[in-house]
Amino acid sequence: MGNAGNTEEMHDLFNKTAEAYDQSGVEFFGPIGRRLVEFSEISAGNSVLDVGSGRGAALFPAAAAVGEGGEVVGIDISEEMVKYALEGVRERGLKHVGVSVMNGQRPEFEADRFDAVIGSCSLFIWVKTAEDVRPYLELLRDGGRFATAAPSFFSTAQGKWALFPEIVNELLMPYMLQSLKQSGAYDSQFANAGANWLATAESIEKTLVDAGFVDVVVEEKDLPVVVKSGEQWVEFTYTTGMRGMWERIEENERREVAAEVSRRLDTLRDENGIITVPVPIVYIRANAPKV
């Protein structure tokens, strides 16, 4: 569970990022959100909680899946994220969708409130143990569904993180590790990778079973991230949580690192001048026991 300082840092980071979040022209959060909703097997009429809903990457696909006879509730720690999500709700005329500011680590709802609890590229930020997952189990009705997606951490056992293209991993990873050590928010996901609950399918299943879930399913699937240049990839990372890493690098050094990242990625252009980087995403689902 994140402490108060980490929670405040997440709040500030995503408030700063909200305006540009998922608006870079690079398809990333949208495809993950759509795939997560499909993977979660949400159905018409369900009541769904979207934890860390951001600007709505999973929120709006979930709204389509449950239909007007269902309900989707989005929560996010960032007031700015909620503002943009609510704009999307109004633009779409969705009467069965609500979004509010709330700390997703301890959602303030009564027990047995939802048929499904989902979180797209959010829960991995603070979930470290079975204890951190139990609050979501408590919100589910008997047999309810928990589902989440995250950039795959399976490669951390080899000192890599698949969110970074292989060609820039060794360049960026030290900066990421330093950023995580300074923030304290994510450090355990990288330090001692063997103890990271996301490091293997087996550790994921054990964590969820220890939390009280059953019928755990884990699937890793590549998402092709397509950019026109290395510079566009760097700009894209500024519109995600990776902005926190960049902002911790001294300005002159940051420019040099960004230029080198861009240069290396530009060598990956295909005959059409396009760069495609496969990013493995892990999709996880489990059920609340039926009593």
Side-chain angles (χ1 to χ4, degrees):
M1 181 69 64
N3 62 34
N6 295 339
T7 300
E8 182 178 356
E9 178 155 349
M10 282 191 288
H11 168 268
D12 293 345
L13 173 62
F14 288 109
N15 261 348
K16 286 190 296 184
T17 310
E19 183 177 3
Y21 196 79
D22 209 17
Q23 307 299 302
S24 67
V26 177
E27 284 282 304
F28 187 74
F29 294 108
I32 296 172
R34 293 190 294 272
R35 172 60 184 148
L36 175 63
V37 170
E38 177 185 335
F39 181 76
S40 69
E41 299 179 346
I42 293 168
S43 58
N46 281 174
S47 177
V48 178
L49 175 65
D50 183 10
V51 181
S53 51
R55 292 184 59 140
L59 185 82
F60 297 122
V66 304
E68 294 183 359
E71 171 196 31
V72 180
V73 177
I75 60 172
D76 201 284
I77 197 171
S78 162
E79 296 90 349
E80 289 296 300
M81 288 289 194
V82 169
K83 180 185 76 173
Y84 287 111
L86 285 173
E87 287 179 3
V89 170
R90 287 191 292 269
E91 289 169 0
R92 292 167 174 82
L94 299 175
K95 305 297 185 184
H96 63 301
V97 178
V99 190
S100 60
V101 178
M102 190 181 296
N103 186 341
Q105 297 174 73
R106 290 287 180 184
E108 299 168 8
F109 298 99
E110 65 272 20
D112 308 320
R113 169 73 170 76
F114 298 99
D115 297 301
V117 174
I118 64 174
S120 183
C121 294
S122 57
L123 303 184
F124 80 96
I125 296 174
W126 61 79
V127 169
K128 300 176 182 178
T129 67
E131 182 181 354
D132 298 333
V133 188
R134 287 195 185 101
Y136 312 119
L137 177 63
E138 294 168 3
L139 297 178
L140 288 170
R141 297 165 183 157
D142 290 353
R145 176 62 49 82
F146 171 78
T148 187
S152 176
F153 282 82
F154 291 176
S155 64
T156 56
Q158 288 78 46
K160 302 176 182 179
W161 188 25
L163 185 60
F164 294 143
E166 176 73 21
I167 200 169
V168 298
N169 180 81
E170 54 83 18
L171 175 61
L172 289 179
M173 205 51 192
Y175 293 105
M176 175 60 80
L177 289 171
Q178 183 61 32
S179 174
L180 301 177
K181 289 175 183 177
Q182 290 174 2
S183 72
Y186 314 107
D187 190 39
S188 70
Q189 307 291 16
F190 292 88
N192 190 15
N196 173 2
W197 79 287
L198 291 166
T200 67
E202 291 75 18
S203 59
I204 291 170
E205 180 174 12
K206 183 179 187 305
T207 300
L208 293 178
V209 169
D210 287 349
F213 286 99
V214 298
D215 304 324
V216 179
V217 177
V218 180
E219 176 185 290
E220 186 184 51
K221 186 177 180 64
D222 278 352
L223 171 69
V225 175
V226 179
V227 294
K228 297 177 181 177
S229 66
E231 183 178 4
Q232 187 185 29
W233 186 87
V234 171
E235 291 172 352
F236 151 69
T237 64
Y238 269 89
T239 71
T240 74
M242 283 188 281
R243 175 173 176 166
M245 173 195 73
W246 287 113
E247 290 185 343
R248 281 191 165 86
I249 305 175
E250 189 275 328
E251 185 176 357
N252 288 336
E253 185 178 2
R254 183 167 67 238
R255 284 198 296 267
E256 293 176 2
V257 173
E260 178 61 15
V261 169
S262 297
R263 185 194 67 77
R264 293 189 189 186
L265 289 174
D266 282 340
T267 67
L268 302 180
R269 281 195 171 103
D270 63 18
E271 63 274 14
N272 297 313
I274 299 299
I275 302 167
T276 302
V277 180
V279 178
I281 305 296
V282 170
Y283 299 90
I284 305 162
R285 72 172 182 252
N287 293 334
K290 293 182 179 179
V291 179

